[in-house]
Amino acid sequence: MMPTDKLTIFSTTFDSRANEKMAAPEMLTTPATSVASRIERRVGSMKGAENGSI
């Protein structure tokens, strides 16, 4: 393996890890928001059912 190949591999791996670290928080907040809104709708519909207003 040539030294330039090692540098290319290292650079690609480093860039990939940096991108993953930046993307992870965004990926975690997006599902949490949609799950939270589904829970709120479900709780709201359950409260409506308890009051007899389905």
Side-chain angles (χ1 to χ4, degrees):
M1 188 180 304
M2 300 291 292
T4 54
D5 293 339
K6 288 182 181 180
L7 180 60
T8 302
I9 292 168
F10 174 77
S11 172
T12 303
T13 303
F14 182 78
D15 288 345
S16 175
R17 287 183 185 160
N19 289 338
E20 288 174 6
K21 286 181 181 180
M22 288 173 38
E26 183 177 334
M27 291 173 58
L28 289 173
T29 58
T30 302
T33 303
S34 65
V35 169
S37 65
R38 277 187 266 152
I39 290 171
E40 287 175 0
R41 286 194 302 259
R42 173 87 37 107
V43 170
S45 67
M46 291 170 73
K47 286 182 179 179
E50 287 176 359
N51 296 331
S53 60
I54 296 178

